[in-house]
Amino acid sequence: MKMFLSTTLVALMLLLSGCATLNNRDLAVKAAYAGVAADFISTKIKLNEGCQEANPLYGKNPSDGKLAAFAFANLGLVYLLEKSTAGQDNAWVFWTLAALRGGVAGYNMNIDCNPNQGLR
């Protein structure tokens, strides 16, 4: 719960900081990369604690290699999106990705890894 609240507070602080922050495409891209990394790390931590992955593409207990492959693929997609939309005013796309992936990471960290619950 603490991680979810922290993520929510950071998002709220960004929203309250004004247009300059939200229009900063470079910062938004970095936040999107960080969101993907946080999702990967939180998934790995919770798998090590005994949780099972709920994403059917990963399988219930994916190997480190599979997790890394998906993380690199997601990072690659952010990179391709960044390069293919260079010069466009689309920081909101990257902020959305950052918020979604960061939110997933926060959710992951709040899961109690009892045998009846898995990552969702």
Side-chain angles (χ1 to χ4, degrees):
M1 187 66 174
K2 289 179 185 177
M3 180 64 94
F4 178 75
L5 290 175
S6 297
T7 304
T8 304
L9 286 174
V10 168
L12 183 59
M13 286 172 34
L14 280 172
L15 290 174
L16 294 175
S17 67
C19 295
T21 300
L22 294 178
N23 286 331
N24 186 333
R25 187 175 187 276
D26 290 336
L27 184 59
V29 169
K30 290 174 185 172
Y33 283 124
V36 171
D39 185 9
F40 166 74
I41 292 166
S42 65
T43 298
K44 180 64 181 143
I45 288 169
K46 288 303 177 174
L47 288 172
N48 287 344
E49 291 178 4
C51 283
Q52 292 185 344
E53 176 61 59
N55 185 335
L57 295 175
Y58 288 28
K60 289 186 178 195
N61 193 16
S63 67
D64 289 348
K66 187 179 242 186
L67 280 178
F70 274 100
F72 282 119
N74 279 278
L75 291 169
L77 290 173
V78 173
Y79 177 81
L80 289 174
L81 181 62
E82 175 192 7
K83 295 305 178 195
S84 67
T85 63
Q88 295 181 18
D89 186 20
N90 63 347
W92 69 271
V93 172
F94 295 99
W95 284 122
T96 302
L97 288 172
L100 290 172
R101 297 307 288 267
V104 168
Y107 176 79
N108 285 349
M109 293 308 295
N110 285 300
I111 292 175
D112 179 18
C113 293
N114 66 49
N116 298 321
Q117 188 172 2
L119 295 177
R120 297 196 197 323

